[in-house]
Amino acid sequence: ASKLCRVLPAAEVELLAVRMARKGLLSARLDAASGTFEFGTAQSLHTNIPLRTALATLYQGSALAAHRTSALGSAVPAGAEAKARASILARLEEAAVPEHARMLQRKLVIERRKEELERHAQQAAAEAKARAEAEQAEVHKQERERLLAEARRRDQERMERERAEEEADQ
C-alpha cells in the first residue's frame, strides 16, 4: 500500500477507495469533512466483521491498482506494455473526470439545499416575529381600551354620585 501512496496522488487513492466501497469490495465510508475513512458500517460492526478484513480488502484493491500503474515514476517501458499502461492510465483519467464533475454537481446541489433551508428558516423566524409583534400590539390595544372604559366608568360613577348628592341637598 505504501507504493500506491507514492505512485498515485491522494485524490486517485480516494477515488479508488470510493469505487471499491460502491462495488461492495470494501465496507468503508469517506468522511470528507474530517478527511478520514471510516471502515465498517453499522450493520457490519454489529455482525462482528473485523477491521482487519476491511483493511485487507483495501490493501488488496490498492495493491492491484499499484501493480497496474507501477510504471509511473520509473523508466518508461517499451512496446506493448507501455501502450497497455498508457491505456489503463487514460481510462482511469477518463473515469475520474466525470466522477469529479458529478461530485462538484452534488456539492452544488447540497449547497443550494442548505441555502434554501436557511432562507426558509429566516422566513419562518421573520413570520414568527411579525406574529408576536402583532399579538403584542393587540394586547396593548386591548389594555388601552380597558383603561379607557375603566376611566369612563369611574367618570360616570363620579357624575352619578355628584347628582345624587345634589338631589339629596335639595
Side-chain angles (χ1 to χ4, degrees):
S2 62
K3 288 182 179 179
L4 177 65
C5 293
R6 280 185 256 135
V7 173
L8 296 175
E12 289 185 34
V13 173
E14 178 181 335
L15 182 62
L16 175 67
V18 169
R19 285 187 178 155
M20 288 174 65
R22 281 186 182 161
K23 290 183 178 183
L25 299 173
L26 174 67
S27 179
R29 186 174 79 93
L30 173 65
D31 185 358
S34 64
T36 60
F37 281 107
E38 293 179 12
F39 292 98
T41 61
Q43 181 183 12
S44 67
L45 292 175
H46 286 93
T47 56
N48 297 323
I49 295 175
L51 178 60
R52 183 179 305 262
T53 303
L55 290 173
T57 305
L58 176 61
Y59 173 77
Q60 290 170 354
S62 301
L64 178 62
H67 174 71
R68 289 183 176 172
T69 58
S70 64
L72 292 177
S74 65
V76 177
E81 188 176 333
K83 289 180 183 179
R85 286 194 173 114
S87 172
I88 290 170
L89 291 176
R91 283 191 310 228
L92 285 173
E93 189 173 331
E94 286 175 16
V97 171
E99 182 69 24
H100 182 68
R102 280 193 297 274
M103 289 172 47
L104 290 177
Q105 184 64 31
R106 176 75 176 142
K107 183 179 178 182
L108 285 174
V109 167
I110 291 170
E111 287 175 2
R112 286 184 193 135
R113 286 182 184 164
K114 183 178 177 183
E115 290 170 359
E116 186 70 19
L117 288 173
E118 288 173 357
R119 188 178 61 77
H120 282 300
Q122 288 174 349
Q123 187 178 20
E127 289 172 358
K129 183 180 177 183
R131 277 193 307 273
E133 289 174 354
E135 289 174 5
Q136 189 67 25
E138 182 65 28
V139 167
H140 285 301
K141 178 183 172 187
Q142 289 175 356
E143 183 65 17
R144 280 193 306 271
E145 289 174 357
R146 187 190 63 79
L147 291 173
L148 281 172
E150 181 69 23
R152 285 188 202 125
R153 185 188 58 77
R154 281 194 311 261
D155 284 343
Q156 185 74 23
E157 288 176 358
R158 183 183 47 83
M159 288 171 51
E160 287 176 9
R161 255 183 292 145
E162 287 175 0
R163 278 190 217 144
E165 286 177 6
E166 284 179 11
E167 289 178 3
D169 285 342
Q170 290 179 355

